[in-house]
Amino acid sequence: MKVLVVGNGGREHALAWKLLQSQNVEQVICTPGNGGTATMPRCQNFPLSVEDFEGIKQCALANNVSLVVVGPELPLAQGITDYLQQYKIRVFGPTKEGAQIESSKHWAKNLMQSAGIPTAAFAVFTEVDKAKAYIKTQKVPIVVKADGLAAGKGVTVAATVEEAQAAIDSLFDNGFSTVVIEEFLTGQEVSVLAITDGLTIRALLPAADHKRIGEGDTGENTGGMGAYAPVPIVTTELMARLEIEILQPTLEALQQRGIDYRGVLYAGLMINSVGDPIVLEFNCRFGDPETQAILPLLESPLEQLLLACSDQQLEQLPAITWKPGAAACVVAASKGYPGAYEKGKVISGIEQAETLGASVFQAGTQFKQQQLLTDGGRVLGVTATDESLQKAVAEAYKAINCIQFEGIYYRTDIGHRLI
Ligand code: AMP
Ligand code: GLY
């Protein structure tokens, strides 16, 4: 079979890489893909924007693909699944209505509240003055969230009233019409991704990412500077609780709203000091870079899982199986990221890194005139697997040390919370 993967990040490179490990998958097409997917055997890029639904439809039909796997949230929130389904194309990813679980914080909060899912206390405002007045009545730190997709820039954890008010002003100035203001929670953050066909839901290995640019989880938020899986704090008992208290009730709440949700349900969780899980957010897609840590440990054929979700046959599949051990992914970024950075720097050393046994998942890269060049803020991620997380981290660093481009930056403390 052929599979089309929509997107151009490290997550999509990892999806394509994992799909191609199965003998059933003869080819993967990426729209638009990156330098990694351009150069992987049996993988081909088509330069189509993720918002070009018509182009993606034509590409899927012309190549007779068996499945379209949608990586990023933007096309899902814009209804790519609804669009492709009209043409009888199989899609892994929720419809526009289902994607609201990520694209509208307000909608997601209401769903959680009605289903009794543990989440931070919150209030919703559509007027700047009322939102700012409310802040004065609350404790700080406090969290201000945009009610809409904001490419990772919609959340401010404000240490002071002034900072929270400035965040509110900035969101309304930037065109958002609704803000969610939320109680500040403390604990350890984990990402629990599950796949569902709308009827059955199955969790993947728990993962955690490092969102901040700086060592010790300091500095600005980014798309993610590294990740690891599994996460020791998520014990078998806690995972069982998560399934009963969070994943299953969320799926039921979606069903009650008449939503046929087929794709990833990603719960961003805070595990508090007594070990209770609280939902910070839901995403409607695979996490990046969590996927680059999870998929190298997956033993079950990925295409079978994704097809079963889109065909509503997940229950018929055997339990998902995993390799023993752990995986760590370290992301290399361009100097300046998440602010301004330069592109077009020559990348070398990927083969050496892979010779050491690591997998290099490219993100902001392009393959041009026989050269691999940087083309984005997060350039690539290096994942290593080993029997322990400590060893996987050490292996990932050994491998990333082989890679060079002008201005390369990566954190040296991925997994530090555990080591
Ligand atoms: P979100 O997009 O809602 O997950 O928020 C992005 C990041 O902001 C999360 O990964 C957390 O690090 C932080 N965050 C969000 N909500 C809260 C909260 N209620 N308390 C503390 N930190 C939060
Ligand atoms: N790693 C965070 C996300 O994918 O949203």
Side-chain angles (χ1 to χ4, degrees), residues 159-183:
T160 61
V161 168
E162 292 69 35
E163 205 186 321
Q165 293 188 330
I168 293 168
D169 276 331
S170 154
L171 290 179
F172 280 99
D173 287 348
N174 281 300
F176 289 99
S177 57
T178 306
V179 295
V180 174
I181 297 174
E182 211 174 87
E183 162 200 16

Side-chain angles (χ1 to χ4, degrees), residues 37-56:
T37 54
T39 48
M40 192 161 51
R42 295 188 285 132
C43 193
Q44 192 184 359
N45 287 351
F46 281 88
L48 297 167
S49 147
V50 301
E51 296 177 78
D52 181 359
F53 295 177
E54 162 79 24
I56 292 169

